[in-house]
């Protein structure tokens, strides 16, 4: 319960920061758009020229905020403010010209569509960047595990990798957990199933334990610190992928340690003999 109570204020503070950031971006873009219209009016230029500026503001809002709805809301705010401040009769939300009505409606529809499309494209670009970053990290993990020479070295490299990526302490222990250690860790090793934080019967645990095993053999236990909150499904999938690669490296290094020098290395192919008799074909014996 204590960890859960710490998790909810953290999420609420992050959400409040995002909302505040979105409001600041909305206010700045709104003020910039109205300032552009006012500047055009002082220059004697038709205020309709400011509509491309409004569209640009909608695009920026959709890119810089967490939702395309912020861009759509900015378009509506531009529309109402333009009607109220710069369209005759002034200071009323009433447009008499059919041309102005058509232009405003078209702008509203375009801003809504562009806001949603731009935000979706931004999300896709961010997802592609996250995927590329994850692939790069997994490549570095593969190289590090391939260069490891002992099971302990492979686990140590994977432990450092997960700690750096998850930004929380991760411990990989080979072998059976000590009796004086965590009861949840021993239970995970004996039952070969996840225990600890978030699992039934371990309400007060601050760490999540995962079995480190493959092909029916158990090598040890993985401990993930959850004092700042539980790991999400994406992080858990990453942990499982790293554990699978680590187990392959551990098994390979154990096999290399158990074999004597030269064992498992195929014998060299002998060079062809210089004996001409050995190269002559076998001739059939003539029948008497």
């Amino acid at each position: 319960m204590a960890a859960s109570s710490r998790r909810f204020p953290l999420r609420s503070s992050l959400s409040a920061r995002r909302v505040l950031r979105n409001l600041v971006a909305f206010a700045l873009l709104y003020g910039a758009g109205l300032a552009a219209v006012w500047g055009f009016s002082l220059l004697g230029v038709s205020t309709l020229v400011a509509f491309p500026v409004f569209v640009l503001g909608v695009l920026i809002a959709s890119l810089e905020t967490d939702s395309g709805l912020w861009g759509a809301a900015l378009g509506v705010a531009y529309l109402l403010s333009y009607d109220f401040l710069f369209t005759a009769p002034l200071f009323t939300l009433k447009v008499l010209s059919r041309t102005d009505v058509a232009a405003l409606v078209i702008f509203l529809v375009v801003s809504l569509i562009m806001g949603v499309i731009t935000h979706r494209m931004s999300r896709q670009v961010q997802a592609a960047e996250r995927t590329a970053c994850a692939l790069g990290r997994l490549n570095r993990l593969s190289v590090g595990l391939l260069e490891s020479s002992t099971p302990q070295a492979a686990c140590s490299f994977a432990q450092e990798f997960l700690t750096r990526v998850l930004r929380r302490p991760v411990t990989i222990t080979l072998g059976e957990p000590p009796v004086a250690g965590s009861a949840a860790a021993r239970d995970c090793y004996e039952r070969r199933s996840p225990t600890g934080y978030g699992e039934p019967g371990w309400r007060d645990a601050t760490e999540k334990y995962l079995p480190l095993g493959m092909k029916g053999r158990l090598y040890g236990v993985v401990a993930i610190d959850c004092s700042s909150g539980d790991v999400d499904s994406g992080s858990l999938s990453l942990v499982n992928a790293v554990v699978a690669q680590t187990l392959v490296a551990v098994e390979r290094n154990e096999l290399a340690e158990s074999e004597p020098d030269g064992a498992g290395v195929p014998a060299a192919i002998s060079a062809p003999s210089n004996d001409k008799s050995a190269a002559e074909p076998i001739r059939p014996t003539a029948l008497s």
Side-chain angles (χ1 to χ4, degrees):
M1 294 296 291
S4 178
S5 63
R6 287 193 297 268
R7 183 169 69 253
F8 289 121
L10 178 61
R11 290 180 178 177
S12 60
S13 70
L14 292 176
S15 178
R17 289 180 182 178
R18 286 195 296 267
V19 172
L20 180 60
R21 178 179 178 276
N22 294 338
L23 287 174
V24 171
F26 182 92
L28 291 176
L29 292 171
Y30 175 76
L34 293 187
V37 180
W38 181 66
F40 287 135
S41 65
L42 292 179
L43 295 174
V45 180
S46 174
T47 54
L48 291 176
V49 179
F51 273 48
V53 179
F54 290 165
V55 173
L56 180 61
V58 171
L59 293 178
I60 297 175
S62 301
L63 289 172
E64 297 297 329
T65 57
D66 296 331
S67 173
L69 295 177
W70 285 94
L74 182 62
V76 174
Y78 282 152
L79 171 65
L80 297 178
S81 300
Y82 179 83
D83 186 14
F84 186 77
L85 298 174
F86 300 100
T87 304
L90 299 179
F91 308 114
T92 58
L93 293 175
K94 182 179 180 181
V95 180
L96 300 179
S97 172
R98 293 181 180 180
T99 303
D100 292 341
V101 172
L104 294 177
V105 170
I106 292 174
F107 168 73
L108 177 59
V109 174
V110 170
S111 64
L112 291 174
I113 295 175
M114 295 187 66
V116 174
I117 293 177
T118 304
H119 182 69
R120 288 182 179 178
M121 293 178 62
S122 176
R123 294 287 296 273
Q124 292 176 358
V125 170
Q126 293 174 3
E129 292 176 350
R130 289 194 297 269
T131 301
C133 182
L135 291 176
R137 289 173 175 174
L138 290 178
N139 288 336
R140 290 193 295 271
L141 172 69
S142 300
V143 172
L145 293 177
L146 186 62
E147 294 177 349
S148 64
S149 57
T150 63
Q152 291 77 10
C155 291
S156 177
F157 184 84
Q159 174 179 302
E160 295 176 0
F161 175 84
L162 288 174
T163 299
R164 184 171 59 255
V165 173
L166 299 180
R167 297 180 181 179
R168 63 175 74 201
V170 177
T171 304
I172 299 180
T173 304
L174 284 176
E176 183 177 357
V179 178
S182 171
R186 290 192 57 82
D187 193 25
C188 174
Y189 187 85
E190 294 172 358
R191 294 170 50 191
R192 301 192 175 191
S193 62
T195 60
Y197 186 88
E199 301 296 331
W202 302 100
R203 178 177 300 179
D204 297 332
T206 58
E207 291 183 314
K208 180 186 289 291
Y209 296 92
L210 304 175
L212 184 69
M214 181 177 63
K215 300 179 181 179
R217 179 182 175 186
L218 191 63
Y219 289 85
V221 174
V222 180
I224 306 174
D225 181 70
C226 296
S227 58
S228 60
D230 200 0
V231 292
D232 54 21
S233 58
S235 299
L236 196 58
S237 299
L238 175 64
V239 172
N240 292 330
V242 172
V243 166
Q245 294 192 43
T246 304
L247 288 174
V248 173
V250 168
E251 197 172 60
R252 185 199 67 235
N253 293 340
E254 281 188 346
L255 183 62
E257 287 182 343
S258 62
E259 291 180 350
D261 294 341
V265 180
I269 300 176
S270 59
S273 174
N274 293 326
D275 189 0
K276 295 183 179 180
S277 62
E280 293 181 354
I282 300 176
R283 300 179 181 275
T285 306
L287 297 177
S288 57

